[in-house]
Amino acid sequence: MTARADRDRLSGLAEFSTLPDDPSIPEHARGRRVLALAHVYDGPADEGERVVAPLRSFGEPLVDFSGRMPYRTIQSLYDGLFPKGRDRCYWKSTYLSRLDDEAIGEITVRMAKRPSEMTFASIWKFGGFVQRVAADETAFGDRSMPFMLSLDAIWPGADEDDANIGWVRSFWQDVQRYSTGRLYLNFPGHGEGADLVRDALGAEAYARLAKIKHRYNPDNLFRLNQNILPMH
């Protein structure tokens, strides 16, 4: 397999977080603010271990949770951190057109001022097979964006709503100068904004989907979601 093919199967993100006071975390690391590097290799495990070897040897990690695991296990890794009904959350995202020193500096400074230690923020890297799907092949639309920034504010009580929601909205607005103008619909905030879905999908994909919606659901019966209005 070529080096490019190897890279095409590797995806990952860098995540700012605070390690919880939890028995699964080594005692010396609990409560520490960290930058976690998480990657998944979609292919044979032996190949994956070879591809990620430079990352694992980059430096001495505070904690190393990496290893071979089934895909379903990967999908459930965060489940224990978000028990249903316990926390208050406000998550918002934006796709980045660049990740240079200026953008990294602003993200780092703002994360240092987060109101809640329960909050996460992550920078997702796209490439490989993801970017080689044509914009008109799926409902997702254009996939040319190189990065995504996800701001995942989490806090315990209603008295902290304004501080945490305000922090995310201000952060999100100020990084729009690095943005492609689109966002990921899984992390839309509270769905505010009349053009939320159009901004997420892009104008061309939204127009195609609106035509399909008009054909199969002209009265907008299925609307309890991030809704696309039928095009009349």
Side-chain angles (χ1 to χ4, degrees):
M1 184 174 290
T2 66
R4 177 176 177 178
D6 285 344
R7 292 194 300 269
D8 284 349
R9 291 180 176 272
L10 185 68
S11 61
L13 57 81
E15 178 186 270
F16 298 85
S17 62
T18 303
L19 293 177
D21 184 10
D22 186 272
S24 65
I25 306 292
E27 190 171 353
H28 73 277
R30 297 174 195 171
R32 297 279 297 273
R33 286 188 166 189
V34 298
L35 177 65
L37 302 178
H39 286 74
V40 174
Y41 185 80
D42 177 26
D46 289 340
E47 291 178 5
E49 295 220 357
R50 174 176 53 80
V51 172
V52 302
L55 176 65
R56 300 186 71 181
S57 61
F58 177 73
E60 184 67 29
L62 186 65
V63 182
D64 186 354
F65 291 115
S66 62
R68 302 185 183 195
M69 61 188 72
Y71 183 74
R72 288 183 298 175
T73 300
I74 296 170
Q75 289 295 299
S76 64
L77 285 176
Y78 283 77
D79 289 358
L81 298 177
F82 309 118
K84 184 177 181 180
R86 186 193 69 180
D87 305 322
R88 301 177 73 81
C89 303
Y90 182 79
W91 298 3
K92 203 167 179 66
S93 65
T94 191
Y95 292 118
L96 303 177
S97 58
R98 59 188 174 98
L99 189 65
D100 53 19
D101 288 348
E102 180 184 355
I104 293 171
E106 178 151 353
I107 292 169
T108 303
V109 168
R110 285 188 168 272
M111 279 306 301
K113 299 177 180 178
R114 60 188 183 268
S116 171
E117 293 299 330
M118 299 169 70
T119 289
F120 292 76
S122 50
I123 302 170
W124 303 35
K125 173 69 173 73
F126 300 121
F129 292 126
V130 171
Q131 289 188 327
R132 291 211 288 277
V133 178
D136 60 356
E137 287 188 20
T138 70
F140 188 86
D142 177 57
R143 297 167 182 254
S144 64
M145 71 290 285
F147 303 99
M148 181 181 76
L149 173 64
S150 173
L151 306 173
D152 310 332
I154 308 166
W155 63 98
D159 59 324
E160 301 174 38
D161 286 1
D162 290 346
N164 285 278
I165 294 173
W167 175 81
V168 173
R169 288 178 174 172
S170 175
F171 193 158
W172 186 89
Q173 189 60 53
D174 285 350
V175 296
Q176 288 308 292
R177 62 180 177 275
Y178 312 117
S179 174
T180 66
R182 291 179 58 205
L183 57 88
Y184 183 42
L185 273 178
N186 275 17
F187 311 140
H190 287 166
E192 61 269 16
D195 294 327
L196 173 74
V197 180
R198 183 180 284 103
D199 290 344
L201 297 171
E204 291 184 12
Y206 185 91
R208 285 194 300 114
L209 293 170
K211 290 179 180 179
I212 295 171
K213 185 78 171 283
H214 177 64
R215 178 177 179 183
Y216 293 100
N217 185 18
D219 298 323
N220 204 21
L221 175 65
F222 303 109
R223 62 186 180 278
L224 302 179
N225 52 18
Q226 306 298 348
N227 195 241
I228 295 172
L229 295 174
M231 181 177 289
H232 295 285

